[in-house]
Amino acid sequence: MLRIGCHLSSSKGYLAMGREAVNIKAGTFQFFTRNPRGGNAKAIVPSDVKDFLDFAGEHDISRILGHAPYTLNACSADEKVRDFALRAMTEDLERMEYTPGNCYNFHPGSHVGQGVETGIDLIARLLNQVLKPEQHTTVLLETMAGKGSEIGSRFEELREILDRADLKEHMGVCLDTCHVWDGGYDIVNHLDQVVAEFDRIIGLPRLKAVHLNDSMNPLGAHKDRHARIGEGHIGADAMVRIINHPAFRELPFYLETPNELPGYAREIAFLQEHYED
């Protein structure tokens, strides 16, 4: 089955997100663990989590994805920014244990002039501080578009971070279609080759989730501007090929397109209609 969802607001709690997912016929969803611009996380209400888990079981909602705030930069040149990354990720992973067995996604960060090698080293150091053997959450590195000094626009950079993580069994990758396209990977005309390259460098078993987004920009623009499905340079036909590709068919998909709930519902319906059972 196609397990697809979108980004939902966590401000009203887990059960509210579950109900919104059901209303738009989603089988999963993504949410920010705290305000995307940073700050403290809202307190978790255990009764809300229990009600959600019961509701999710009844409605077949699974493989939800927590997303770190955009301000989390594990390889910043500013020690205070790195300290926030350490605190936020530590707290977020503790909070994710309320809904065990799911994933937590973060942008690797920007090295801001320190160089890729230094940036990779700092990211790996953070991961080795926050990952715990007993955790039940898989931490995902997101593929990036390569704007500015972003790390993670090349598969080789993600592989190097993964190699330096002590607890590799708790790590994986989330592939963002807009980001890899903007990063220069031609998933429109050469999807099989991109998948083969990912497998050769990182390994398909490490691919745990897909952000399904069209792009406002041409191939290799390094700008990261998401578009609605079929309204960008990737196009609807390529999106249909992606959800039906053997390497992706069993993965959860998360829409991050510029939409409100009715728009997400239309995109989910379109993709469900074109999924090959």
Side-chain angles (χ1 to χ4, degrees):
M1 64 172 289
L2 176 62
R3 188 166 298 279
I4 187 166
C6 63
H7 197 102
L8 299 177
S9 171
S10 60
S11 61
K12 296 180 181 179
Y14 284 94
L15 182 58
M17 289 190 287
R19 287 173 171 160
E20 285 186 337
V22 168
N23 287 339
I24 60 173
K25 295 182 167 49
T28 187
F29 59 85
Q30 176 180 267
F31 63 98
F32 278 118
T33 54
R34 62 187 66 215
N35 188 299
R37 299 303 169 191
N40 294 324
K42 181 181 176 182
I44 286 180
V45 179
S47 60
D48 172 56
V49 177
K50 181 185 182 303
D51 289 343
F52 163 72
L53 292 174
D54 292 342
F55 182 86
E58 294 169 3
H59 295 276
D60 192 26
I61 298 171
S62 64
R63 302 166 84 178
I64 62 174
L65 180 62
H67 197 303
Y70 293 136
T71 49
L72 193 155
N73 185 358
C75 59
S76 172
D78 187 332
E79 186 175 355
K80 291 181 180 179
V81 175
R82 296 200 307 273
D83 286 345
F84 169 75
L86 175 61
R87 177 175 63 85
M89 190 176 288
T90 299
E91 292 176 357
D92 286 353
L93 291 179
E94 290 173 354
R95 293 159 61 85
M96 288 296 296
E97 291 299 297
Y98 280 87
T99 54
N102 293 299
C103 292
Y104 174 79
N105 178 73
F106 78 105
H107 294 181
S110 297
H111 63 74
V112 287
Q114 301 176 97
V116 172
E117 179 61 26
T118 296
I120 288 173
D121 182 62
L122 289 170
I123 296 165
R125 286 189 200 180
L126 174 69
L127 289 169
N128 288 333
Q129 288 179 276
V130 301
L131 295 176
K132 306 298 180 187
E134 65 274 16
Q135 73 184 58
H136 300 89
T137 300
T138 302
V139 176
L140 307 184
L141 297 165
E142 184 171 339
T143 59
M144 302 307 295
K147 67 180 186 294
S149 61
E150 276 183 343
I151 290 175
S153 66
R154 310 308 304 165
F155 296 157
E156 290 85 355
E157 294 171 3
L158 298 178
R159 172 60 189 267
E160 195 167 345
I161 296 169
L162 292 168
D163 284 348
R164 297 187 191 190
D166 294 335
L167 298 175
K168 296 176 177 59
E169 65 273 20
H170 291 317
M171 292 293 302
V173 172
C174 175
L175 186 146
D176 186 299
T177 55
C178 171
H179 293 177
V180 295
W181 170 262
D182 277 28
Y185 292 99
D186 189 350
I187 55 175
V188 174
N189 301 299
H190 302 291
L191 179 60
D192 286 341
Q193 291 91 324
V194 173
V195 170
E197 186 171 356
F198 183 98
D199 190 32
R200 177 179 61 83
I201 296 170
I202 296 176
L204 281 171
R206 283 174 158 166
L207 183 58
K208 304 298 184 182
V210 177
H211 282 163
L212 200 64
N213 306 302
D214 214 321
S215 174
M216 294 184 182
N217 301 298
L219 177 66
H222 301 295
K223 289 185 178 179
D224 184 13
R225 295 288 301 281
H226 296 194
R228 297 183 182 93
I229 302 301
E231 296 183 10
H233 286 264
I234 298 175
D237 289 346
M239 291 297 177
V240 170
R241 289 194 295 272
I242 288 167
I243 63 171
N244 286 296
H245 193 282
F248 303 138
R249 282 181 60 86
E250 302 303 318
L251 296 174
F253 295 88
Y254 307 90
L255 295 161
E256 295 180 320
T257 51
N259 267 316
E260 301 295 332
L261 288 177
Y264 284 132
R266 287 191 294 271
E267 290 183 333
I268 290 170
F270 169 80
L271 293 164
Q272 290 282 13
E273 180 184 350
H274 288 84
Y275 184 70
E276 299 170 3
D277 291 325

